[in-house]
Amino acid sequence: MHIVVFGGAFDPPHLGHQAIAENVVSQGIADEVWFVPVREHSFLKRLSAPEHRQAMLQLMLPAHCRIETYELETEGINYTFNTLDALHQKYPQHQFSWIIGSDNLAKFHTWGDAHGRTYKELLASYRFYVYPREGHIFEPLYEGMVPLPNMPVVTVSSTQVRAAIESGQPYQHLVTPAVAHYIAKQHLYSEIKK
């Protein structure tokens, strides 16, 4: 099978994450989408507990999708290159690609790993799909990237959801009902520490 890997913090997972996965499968780009929540963010962002993020992902998981817990089970910061290598080794019967939002393009040249491999080596080894995010054009695009300009643009972000909750604004229209219920029950994001 062709698996598109969707890595991220998913803090929280929102309707945009769900739409990306559904559209990638329905358009025949992938047979399945595997969500890979990070354990620690490589750019040192503070994240909610892994068990909360994994539980919320499970609650919004579309058909033909699953959660891959490789990064959650590995100590320290994981890099995309290492994750793809590990999945390729663990599941040699599958072909793996990765998907990013167009908001990631500006800093993509910083992607690599702790062994000194660069974004160019990453793109030479694996295909990257680029999904449109509101306010972020498809630039720069590198060899090995496949833009998806005809997909519905994602207009919501996890930052937007957290900010709405912190300020007491409605957020339920940005996430699935099950995720909204979980957030409220667990009192997540109501006291975000700067």
Side-chain angles (χ1 to χ4, degrees):
M1 286 195 301
H2 178 209
I3 311 298
V4 165
V5 183
F6 191 176
F10 306 113
D11 195 17
H14 52 67
L15 293 177
H17 294 134
Q18 186 182 57
I20 289 170
E22 289 175 341
N23 291 332
V24 163
V25 172
S26 69
Q27 295 297 316
I29 293 166
D31 299 302
E32 291 185 354
V33 172
W34 291 6
F35 288 87
V36 178
V38 300
R39 182 182 181 91
E40 296 180 36
H41 204 285
S42 58
F43 297 112
L44 302 178
K45 291 182 183 176
R46 183 174 295 180
L47 302 176
S48 299
E51 57 267 25
H52 286 314
R53 293 183 287 117
Q54 185 175 354
M56 289 186 285
L57 266 179
Q58 192 64 52
L59 289 170
M60 64 132 263
L61 207 61
H64 305 291
C65 295
R66 59 169 268 194
I67 300 169
E68 169 53 53
T69 57
Y70 167 77
E71 291 197 7
L72 293 179
E73 295 164 358
T74 307
E75 290 292 332
I77 293 172
N78 275 283
Y79 296 90
T80 301
F81 217 147
N82 306 119
T83 298
L84 283 166
D85 285 348
L87 294 178
H88 177 72
Q89 185 173 10
K90 186 175 181 181
Y91 305 102
Q93 71 274 27
H94 298 321
Q95 173 194 351
F96 289 97
S97 302
W98 195 273
I99 191 161
I100 61 172
S102 56
D103 54 318
N104 283 296
L105 289 173
K107 290 188 176 180
F108 193 82
H109 65 280
T110 67
W111 288 36
D113 69 9
H115 304 292
R117 294 186 295 179
T118 69
Y119 73 97
K120 292 180 180 178
E121 292 168 277
L122 177 59
L123 290 170
S125 301
Y126 300 99
R127 177 183 298 146
F128 272 67
Y129 292 97
V130 184
Y131 199 96
R133 293 287 303 262
E134 185 177 48
H136 299 276
I137 60 175
F138 287 100
E139 288 182 10
L141 284 173
Y142 300 100
E143 188 174 346
M145 289 183 167
V146 180
L148 302 172
N150 297 321
M151 293 288 191
V153 175
V154 170
T155 59
V156 60
S157 70
S158 295
T159 301
Q160 179 185 0
V161 178
R162 294 193 307 270
I165 295 168
E166 183 183 31
S167 62
Q169 299 299 311
Y171 66 93
Q172 292 80 358
H173 62 290
L174 304 173
V175 298
T176 66
V179 169
H181 178 75
Y182 186 93
I183 289 171
K185 183 178 179 182
Q186 298 294 329
H187 307 288
L188 298 179
Y189 314 116
S190 54
E191 293 183 10
I192 297 174
K193 293 183 175 132
K194 302 285 182 181

